Amino acid sequence: MSVPSASLRIGIAGLGTVGSAVLANLQHNAERFHAVLGRRIEVTGVSARSRTKKRNVSLDGIAWFDDPVELAASPTIDAFVELIGGAEGPARKAVETALAAGKHVVTANKALLAYHGLSLAKMAEAENVALLFEASVAGGIPVIKTVREALIGNEIRRVYGILNGTCNYILTKMQEEGASFDAALAEAQELGYAEADPTFDIGGMDAAHKLAVLTSLAFGTRVAIEEIHCEGIEHIRRADIEAADELGYRIKLLGVAQRIDGAIEARVSPVLVPKDSAVGEVSGVTNAIEIEGDYVGDLLLVGPGAGAKPTASSVISDIVEVARGDCLKPFIVPAAKLRPHKKATLGAHRGAYYVRLLVHDRPGAMASIAGRMAEHDVSLESIVQRRPRKSDAATPAKAAANNTMQLVLITHDTVEASIRRALKLIEQDGKIAGRAQMIRIETL
Ligand code: HSE
């Protein structure tokens, strides 16, 4: 294989904590990369919102561009590194400009890929340039290269994992320290884990973006964010975390994509997992991804899913791959041959469920609930009833005033549509206060 001997000239757009860490790493490793690659990696241009912001990295000798799109089009670069973020706006425009101008692109932007991955891959292939995005999924964990390269000989049956560090951090703090949701989120923001708009984290969208990218790579399908079912952790209460704990489970926001009868079930949602399962033991901002392949078996990748240095580590691996000059197609399969994402109906999902109800403490309430479950063929594995603590209810004052009991049910395997129908009727029957809490129990 022949590698061009001239320097690889790169432009970096976005000099936040990740961009600065990328620049610092390239400066630190300049001689090592030269030795490894036989060519230099030279940062010739940068662009960011503020030119005057204090950064712990030298910009000496690097051209400054106020406009990232101008940097993307500049003849002074061969590769464009996009660290701006966002599915639209300057990030999209700059990446499209760079690809149209025949530049390689490295991006950490999961939202951009989730919405426009297919069209960007087509552009990259038409120009015969690289489009690499290792940092877009699970920060410092090299999951994209693992699927693209190391597992190329496998048919993947299922991929699942903790894909959002902020949510895992919040759930861990609630679990281990009894922290409130809001306090734990504020800490995650202070530590720089959360998205600029943290509702993307807690609402599950950040994980859904990542799962959309992983699903495409794992199953050879077109990236399709609209086919990913997405629920966040906003409705999880300490009562759920405590009840799950008592029953031997942890609550995790999990992204799961699996083949089911020729279709793909892809969903992000809080789920119960056994405490002693691999993902159950992953705490804090750490991410974990399990990949089930027909040859490799079950593979678990665990590591930092957010933060400047881990994310920069992945960006650097892509830049070095571009410099090596032997990139695969963005989604392994040529974009034109990626199959449509055929979505499995979630109503047909089969599994066990956790249900928490605040039941009006009156004669017949329990019998009525059990009756609705039986009507819909939902069999119960365990029932735990107790007086709710103040922290249990979405509206604790009301729970106390209404004289309610907390009822936690674990079902045997059942069909999701059935339990949803049963719970809807239970809500309508007026035997419970507020909404029923239903959480899937993941079979791992
Ligand atoms: N906000 C993201 C997270 C950062 O918490 O995982 C990495 O994408």
Side-chain angles (χ1 to χ4, degrees):
M1 184 190 69
S2 75
V3 174
S5 57
S7 301
L8 177 78
R9 301 164 310 160
I10 68 171
I12 302 177
L15 285 180
T17 53
V18 175
S20 299
V22 168
L23 201 48
N25 185 292
L26 289 173
Q27 289 169 355
H28 178 74
N29 283 315
E31 293 311 320
R32 188 154 74 90
F33 290 159
H34 185 199
V36 169
L37 296 163
R39 67 189 297 206
R40 287 195 175 277
I41 299 173
E42 208 186 321
V43 180
T44 51
V46 289
S47 174
R49 269 203 300 259
S50 164
R51 189 167 185 170
T52 50
K53 180 177 156 186
K54 195 169 159 18
R55 297 181 176 89
N56 291 332
V57 65
S58 167
L59 300 181
D60 290 351
I62 304 175
W64 180 272
F65 291 74
D66 286 324
D67 181 0
V69 180
E70 206 186 307
L71 172 60
S74 170
T76 62
I77 65 164
D78 308 306
F80 179 67
V81 179
E82 186 270 306
L83 301 171
I84 303 168
E88 304 297 336
R92 181 179 177 192
K93 197 155 180 228
V95 165
E96 288 179 348
T97 300
L99 292 173
K103 324 269 188 209
H104 306 286
V105 167
V106 170
T107 178
N109 191 334
K110 57 246 162 174
L112 178 72
L113 292 158
Y115 285 94
H116 307 295
L118 184 65
S119 63
L120 295 177
K122 284 181 178 163
M123 286 182 80
E125 289 174 24
E127 294 295 332
N128 199 22
V129 292
L131 169 62
L132 297 176
F133 40 87
E134 183 61 69
S136 67
V137 178
I141 303 178
V143 63
I144 305 274
K145 283 184 177 52
T146 301
V147 176
R148 275 162 57 94
E149 297 172 26
L151 300 184
I152 194 78
N154 285 261
E155 176 162 315
I156 294 173
R157 194 186 71 77
R158 176 165 77 157
V159 51
Y160 68 87
I162 296 169
L163 299 174
N164 184 271
T166 300
C167 285
N168 208 46
Y169 185 83
I170 293 171
L171 293 170
T172 304
K173 285 271 166 181
M174 288 171 78
Q175 158 80 49
E176 290 178 359
E177 297 169 22
S180 74
F181 188 102
D182 291 341
L185 171 59
E187 270 183 50
Q189 284 178 289
E190 265 165 42
L191 291 166
Y193 302 145
E195 295 300 296
D197 175 355
T199 56
F200 274 69
D201 294 296
I202 61 180
M205 279 312 289
D206 175 78
H209 293 153
K210 295 167 183 168
L211 188 66
V213 172
L214 269 185
T215 303
S216 174
L217 285 166
F219 302 122
T221 51
R222 295 177 197 151
V223 196
I225 183 67
E226 65 284 1
E227 308 298 358
I228 312 280
H229 173 84
C230 179
E231 296 166 41
I233 61 167
E234 329 65 336
H235 304 300
I236 301 297
R237 296 280 170 270
R238 289 240 303 271
D240 298 310
I241 290 177
E242 282 167 18
D245 185 54
E246 281 161 22
L247 292 161
Y249 295 100
R250 294 272 179 261
I251 299 184
K252 297 286 177 193
L253 184 83
L254 226 59
V256 182
Q258 57 191 343
R259 289 180 199 269
I260 296 187
D261 301 333
I264 295 167
E265 180 182 295
R267 56 187 156 85
V268 169
S269 70
V271 293
L272 267 65
V273 296
K275 268 184 204 178
D276 59 358
S277 61
V279 288
E281 288 181 341
V282 172
S283 61
V285 71
T286 305
N287 281 194
I289 301 165
E290 180 136 349
I291 305 166
E292 297 172 1
D294 61 346
Y295 270 63
V296 73
D298 298 350
L299 186 70
L300 180 71
L301 304 173
V302 183
K309 283 188 169 178
T311 309
S313 163
S314 289
V315 173
I316 292 288
S317 78
D318 282 346
I319 294 172
V320 168
E321 188 175 336
V322 169
R324 244 184 17 235
D326 60 350
C327 297
L328 295 170
K329 302 271 188 271
F331 290 94
I332 314 172
V333 178
K337 293 196 172 158
L338 290 166
R339 283 175 285 109
H341 176 128
K342 191 173 160 215
K343 184 182 182 176
T345 328
L346 207 47
H349 173 84
R350 235 194 123 67
Y353 292 81
Y354 157 100
V355 175
R356 182 171 63 87
L357 308 168
L358 284 174
V359 183
H360 294 304
D361 193 6
R362 294 196 288 256
M366 181 79 96
S368 158
I369 290 164
R372 288 300 191 192
M373 291 292 193
E375 270 169 36
H376 292 84
D377 213 16
V378 178
S379 167
L380 302 176
E381 183 189 285
S382 79
I383 303 175
V384 181
Q385 178 177 292
R386 68 167 165 78
R387 281 258 162 248
R389 286 189 271 273
K390 274 201 169 170
S391 61
D392 288 354
T395 50
K398 275 191 204 157
N402 288 347
N403 189 24
T404 50
M405 295 292 280
Q406 172 171 284
L407 189 62
V408 171
L409 311 173
I410 300 290
T411 73
H412 284 296
D413 277 7
T414 186
V415 176
E416 181 149 337
S418 302
I419 186 154
R420 282 193 182 279
R421 269 199 303 274
L423 290 176
K424 197 158 179 215
L425 291 170
I426 288 169
E427 285 172 356
Q428 288 170 2
D429 288 340
K431 303 280 193 272
I432 62 168
R435 304 283 312 270
Q437 174 76 293
M438 183 198 93
I439 308 177
R440 294 179 195 91
I441 300 178
E442 204 63 42
T443 308
L444 301 179

